[in-house]
Amino acid sequence: MIARRLSLTDFRNYEELELDLEPGASLFLGSNGHGKTNLVEALSFLSTLGSHRTSSDLPLIRHGKAAAIIRAQLANGERTVLAEVEINREGSNRARINRSPIKVRDLPRSFASVLFAPEDLTLVRGEPAGRRSFLDHLLGLRNPRMLAVLADYDRVLRQRNSLLKTARASRISSSQLGTLDIWDARLVEFGAQIITARAELTQELLPFVAQAYGTVAGAEHEVSLAATLSIYATKEGMNGSADSASTGPVDDDFAAAVRMNRRAELERGVTLVGPHRDDLVITLNQLPARSYASHGEAWSLALSLKLASAELLRVNSPLGDPVLILDDVFAELDSSRRGKLSTAIAGFEQVLITAAVLADVPDNLRERVIHIRAGKVVAPDE
Ligand SMILES: Nc1ncnc2c1ncn2[C@@H]1O[C@H](COP(=O)(O)OP(=O)(O)OP(=O)(O)O)[C@@H](O)[C@H]1O
Ligand SMILES: [Mg+2]
């Protein structure tokens, strides 16, 4: 799929922007701090409802304004849709498809993009939460039903935690215990679906990651991905691997873990087991990459995870090729890796690239250059 036209109102440093986009590669070029990342961040937000730079939506709204609007005309083969999100300083965000209101969380069903940025390094180096959201975002793109399951799990988790907190403050009553049993069942129902879906996704993703790593790093290395699941955690607090600890169907094991942890959860006032506490362990040549990989290896692994997710979506998402967004990626790579990456992405329907220095970007991606200055698209010599 491609984005054909992007309109912004009061998004970051853009007061108003109307920009036609083409298939193939486009390069956004401009000096530091002029709005290149802001522009691609807007498109990425429309497809993921998140930003690679901020976890809060507020910085996305132009300073001093009440709301930001991102609107894009999207084309998937013959089908086109107008997707729009309004990010509000006060009150909740709103979304529209073809000018009709929809639930904000359903917006990603209309637009798939994969963004590569230096921040992706945290996928390899950072906390488990980043890896979980990488997987969950992909789950939602591949199977929109999972968006609802993830949202349900989140809701149950919050309510269960708040019950555990109250129970911790005052001694738990028998009616609260009954309510907790109900929340336990819901937690297991939704959580088991997430654990299973993540495991299937990880299996599917692995060959793509291994292939992408081969492409980017250009050598023989062994990459593997494995889940560590908190429902199989040992008493020492270590997370267990699904393969070694599984004794039965995931929902039975999950329910057993919840029973086993009840006393500890009542003492601590939080839910201790479930997919919100799981991790994806990435190993390179048998060593956990998070703590062993070199900077270059970690960065290549992060790129490979992103490339793999793009390839996977390309193969089996109803939206076809995701739009690839490469924010400041080439400046981080040596020239051999630049070349390899540019070959790997060249076949995607639309690739949007930002760079401050033209020379950092391989020749084959420089055909269409869009110059950005102070929150505006300008002519090359302006
Ligand atoms: N909410 C906002 N309101 C107004 N201006 C903002 C807002 N958020 C960010 N900016 C401004 O946008 C500019 C940063 O833009 P952006 O991150 O897109 O730069 P860039 O062109 O990608 O630069 P670099 O080459 O350094 O990556 C900064 O000057 C910042 O002050
Ligand atoms: Mg930038």
Side-chain angles (χ1 to χ4, degrees):
M1 71 179 310
I2 63 164
R4 280 214 189 129
R5 187 176 179 78
L6 173 68
S7 319
L8 301 178
T9 304
D10 293 329
F11 181 87
R12 295 266 197 193
N13 68 336
Y14 289 88
E15 192 177 352
E16 283 292 338
L17 174 84
E18 289 285 339
L19 179 63
D20 287 319
L21 294 164
E22 305 284 332
S26 298
L27 170 61
F28 297 96
L29 192 68
S31 306
N32 294 143
H34 280 257
K36 307 177 297 293
T37 297
N38 292 347
L39 197 152
V40 292
E41 181 185 38
L43 265 178
S44 176
F45 187 90
L46 194 62
S47 102
T48 63
L49 302 173
S51 156
H52 61 302
R53 298 193 293 187
T54 161
S55 53
S56 142
D57 291 350
L58 282 185
L60 306 176
I61 305 169
R62 191 169 150 86
H63 186 70
K65 299 292 173 161
I69 297 173
I70 309 167
R71 187 180 300 130
Q73 182 82 46
L74 307 166
N76 180 12
E78 296 294 299
R79 284 191 51 213
T80 63
V81 293
L82 184 67
E84 181 180 326
V85 65
E86 182 182 297
I87 307 165
N88 290 306
R89 197 175 287 280
E90 313 251 316
S92 45
N93 296 345
R94 288 161 204 242
R96 278 182 280 268
I97 289 290
N98 294 331
R99 308 208 182 266
S100 304
I102 59 156
K103 281 189 191 146
V104 175
R105 74 159 197 243
D106 285 336
L107 203 54
R109 289 177 186 227
S110 300
F111 184 22
S113 73
V114 174
L115 181 135
F116 301 66
E119 287 84 351
D120 292 334
L121 196 58
T122 60
L123 264 181
V124 179
R125 289 271 195 244
E127 297 299 317
R131 288 178 286 280
R132 289 194 295 266
S133 53
F134 168 76
L135 289 178
D136 292 347
H137 172 60
L138 205 48
L139 283 180
L141 282 176
R142 274 167 23 110
N143 177 0
R145 196 185 62 82
M146 283 309 295
L147 288 174
V149 176
L150 288 160
D152 284 339
Y153 182 80
D154 232 40
R155 184 177 45 81
V156 169
L157 183 65
R158 269 185 280 120
Q159 291 182 326
R160 189 174 184 276
N161 280 345
S162 100
L163 179 62
L164 286 170
K165 257 193 212 96
T166 338
R168 181 176 167 231
S170 54
R171 272 179 51 120
I172 191 159
S173 65
S174 55
S175 81
Q176 280 179 323
L177 268 179
T179 316
L180 189 54
D181 284 339
I182 297 169
W183 286 127
D184 288 358
R186 307 286 280 165
L187 189 80
V188 169
E189 178 192 343
F190 298 125
Q193 292 182 58
I194 296 171
I195 293 173
T196 307
R198 281 187 192 158
E200 286 167 5
L201 175 64
T202 305
Q203 283 300 314
E204 280 180 66
L205 201 57
L206 179 60
F208 289 103
V209 178
Q211 194 193 359
Y213 193 80
T215 307
V216 176
E220 282 302 306
H221 294 284
E222 192 195 329
V223 181
S224 77
L225 303 175
T228 49
L229 302 181
S230 55
I231 59 169
Y232 300 127
T234 63
K235 290 205 173 60
E236 292 82 46
M238 296 280 293
N239 271 359
S241 104
D243 296 341
S244 59
S246 168
T247 52
V250 169
D251 47 358
D252 290 353
D253 290 352
F254 196 166
V258 169
R259 278 195 301 277
M260 204 175 81
N261 279 281
R262 176 162 279 192
R263 181 193 289 255
E265 289 188 336
L266 283 170
E267 272 165 20
R268 300 196 22 204
V270 337
T271 301
L272 293 172
V273 291
H276 64 291
R277 291 262 176 136
D278 293 347
D279 197 2
L280 174 74
V281 177
I282 306 161
T283 59
L284 179 62
N285 302 325
Q286 330 245 304
L287 295 172
R290 188 176 180 194
S291 36
Y292 285 84
S294 76
H295 176 77
E297 287 171 338
W299 175 227
S300 300
L301 274 171
L303 273 181
S304 306
L305 283 167
K306 285 298 181 77
L307 258 181
S309 66
E311 293 286 356
L312 191 70
L313 289 175
R314 167 177 237 191
V315 175
N316 60 15
S317 147
L319 297 172
D321 276 15
V323 172
L324 297 195
I325 300 173
L326 281 73
D327 185 25
D328 268 332
V329 163
F330 288 105
E332 293 270 324
L333 297 172
D334 62 30
S335 63
S336 141
R337 286 182 192 205
R338 283 178 188 169
K340 284 176 178 140
L341 180 62
S342 79
T343 313
I345 61 171
F348 280 81
E349 271 184 85
Q350 189 173 50
V351 182
L352 307 174
I353 300 156
T354 74
V357 179
L358 184 64
D360 287 346
V361 180
D363 287 348
N364 61 326
L365 301 173
R366 287 190 209 167
E367 265 170 36
R368 196 171 311 109
V369 180
I370 298 164
H371 296 263
I372 304 290
R373 177 166 305 173
K376 291 198 163 60
V377 171
V378 297
D381 45 5
E382 266 181 59

